[in-house]
Amino acid sequence: MKPFSFDLTGGFVYFADAAAVEDDVKRRRYFNTACIVFAAGAIESVINERISLEAVLLNSGASRSFYEALAEAQRSISLKDKWNLFVSVQGGHHWDSSQEPYQSYDMIITIRNELLHYKADFLGHLEPPVNRIRPLLRRLGVPSE
């Protein structure tokens, strides 16, 4: 099995590089949008792949049944919950949205969700659709247009 997360990671790197050198505003927006979608997909696919691998590779014991149950439930639980359940057995840091890299993961996923679940709300002139995006735009020096 070749992990799909490798393709998604290669894709978001490609799209970010393409956006950085693109002069056409529309095409740059396309590349940036694709970058966000691929990056969020990569974050989610990495944990899903690890859960599936653990469920298949472990031969026996309580851990295997835990990973099998987690693999079954992974479609219906949040990324944060999957992460926290996974690290509760594997070790590692629980998802803490006040710390990096989790802050960035949250931002990428929020932007992806806003893009893919866009509701076409009427906003003020140059007003970003999500309050959490406003500080990011300021930090990066990007006009909200």
Side-chain angles (χ1 to χ4, degrees), residues 64-84:
R64 180 179 184 145
S65 56
F66 171 83
Y67 287 116
E68 287 172 344
L70 186 53
E72 281 292 315
Q74 69 181 334
R75 292 185 192 279
S76 62
I77 60 176
S78 73
L79 173 64
K80 292 177 190 179
D81 288 341
K82 283 186 268 191
W83 178 272
N84 288 332

Side-chain angles (χ1 to χ4, degrees), residues 3-142:
F4 185 51
S5 61
F6 291 6
D7 294 330
L8 293 169
T9 301
F12 78 70
V13 169
Y14 171 82
F15 292 126
D17 290 344
V21 298
E22 181 58 57
D23 292 328
D24 181 85
V25 174
K26 284 184 181 180
R27 288 175 54 93
R28 186 172 41 237
R29 188 169 42 241
Y30 303 156
F31 288 138
N32 283 323
T33 300
C35 180
I36 291 292
V37 171
F38 274 56
I43 293 166
E44 294 192 52
S45 68
V46 166
I47 190 67
N48 290 341
E49 289 164 356
R50 283 295 310 270
I51 291 167
S52 294
L53 285 171
E54 293 292 340
V56 170
L57 295 178
L58 288 175
N59 293 326
S60 63
S63 291
R64 180 179 184 145
S65 56
F66 171 83
Y67 287 116
E68 287 172 344
L70 186 53
E72 281 292 315
Q74 69 181 334
R75 292 185 192 279
S76 62
I77 60 176
S78 73
L79 173 64
K80 292 177 190 179
D81 288 341
K82 283 186 268 191
W83 178 272
N84 288 332
L85 287 166
F86 185 81
V87 299
S88 72
V89 173
Q90 283 287 65
H93 299 282
H94 280 78
W95 193 287
D96 181 353
S97 295
S98 69
Q99 301 290 320
E100 286 296 344
Y102 309 104
Q103 283 178 333
S104 293
Y105 294 166
D106 282 341
M107 182 63 68
I108 291 166
I109 291 166
T110 296
I111 295 170
R112 186 269 320 260
N113 289 345
E114 285 301 316
L115 292 170
L116 295 183
H117 304 291
Y118 179 62
K119 303 296 187 261
D121 294 331
F122 289 99
L123 304 171
H125 181 64
L126 301 180
E127 182 182 351
V130 176
N131 287 335
R132 291 184 64 195
I133 295 175
R134 192 173 295 122
L136 177 65
L137 294 173
R138 262 186 268 144
R139 187 173 76 192
L140 296 175
V142 176

